[in-house]
């Protein structure tokens, strides 16, 4: 009887110890695309429309650049994307994956 009690105590201690092992962080399958729209002279272009299109799903996301010309597309699924930047008075910029 004493042997069973020690065995149960050992199992309980093992379970408690395993419960304190930190869980592994899951890897993410999303990323981000960031950039800055500038003109040919190097000046930032605020208010430009930047669109990214997933080449497989054809899902489109759109962002208007901030005052410093920057844009960010967060939490996008991994894949190939095409990027298009437009602004009145400027030539459209297209970047395929």
């Amino acid at each position: 009887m004493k042997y069973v009690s020690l065995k149960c105590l050992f199992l309980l201690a093992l379970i408690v110890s395993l419960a304190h092992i930190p869980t592994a962080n899951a890897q993410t399958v999303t990323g981000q695309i960031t950039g800055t729209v500038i003109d040919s002279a190097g000046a930032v272009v605020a208010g430009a429309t930047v669109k990214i299109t997933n080449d497989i799903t054809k899902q489109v996301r759109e962002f208007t650049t901030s005052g410093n010309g920057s844009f960010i597309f967060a939490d996008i699924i991994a894949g190939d994307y095409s990027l298009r930047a437009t602004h009145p008075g400027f030539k459209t910029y297209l970047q395929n994956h």
Side-chain angles (χ1 to χ4, degrees), residues 1-15:
M1 185 78 163
K2 197 172 194 180
Y3 180 75
V4 174
S5 296
L6 288 176
K7 187 175 181 182
C8 288
L9 183 60
F10 174 75
L11 287 175
L12 180 61
L14 181 62
I15 291 170

Side-chain angles (χ1 to χ4, degrees), residues 33-34 50-55 71 80-86 91-97:
I33 297 174
T34 61
V50 181
K51 292 182 183 181
I52 59 169
T53 304
N54 183 299
D55 292 341
F71 62 89
D80 292 329
Y81 287 83
S82 298
L83 180 141
R84 176 183 298 267
T86 59
K91 181 179 174 183
T92 297
Y93 175 80
L94 179 62
Q95 174 70 49
N96 293 317
H97 65 272

Side-chain angles (χ1 to χ4, degrees), residues 33-35 37 45 47-52 60-74 83-86:
I33 297 174
T34 61
V37 178
V45 180
T49 300
V50 181
K51 292 182 183 181
I52 59 169
V60 177
R61 292 183 56 185
E62 185 175 311
F63 190 91
T64 302
T65 59
S66 61
N68 63 0
S70 66
F71 62 89
I72 183 168
F73 293 97
L83 180 141
R84 176 183 298 267
T86 59

Side-chain angles (χ1 to χ4, degrees), residues 25-44:
N25 291 330
Q27 293 187 10
T28 60
V29 293
T30 60
Q32 67 182 20
I33 297 174
T34 61
T36 303
V37 178
I38 57 172
D39 65 13
S40 59
V44 298

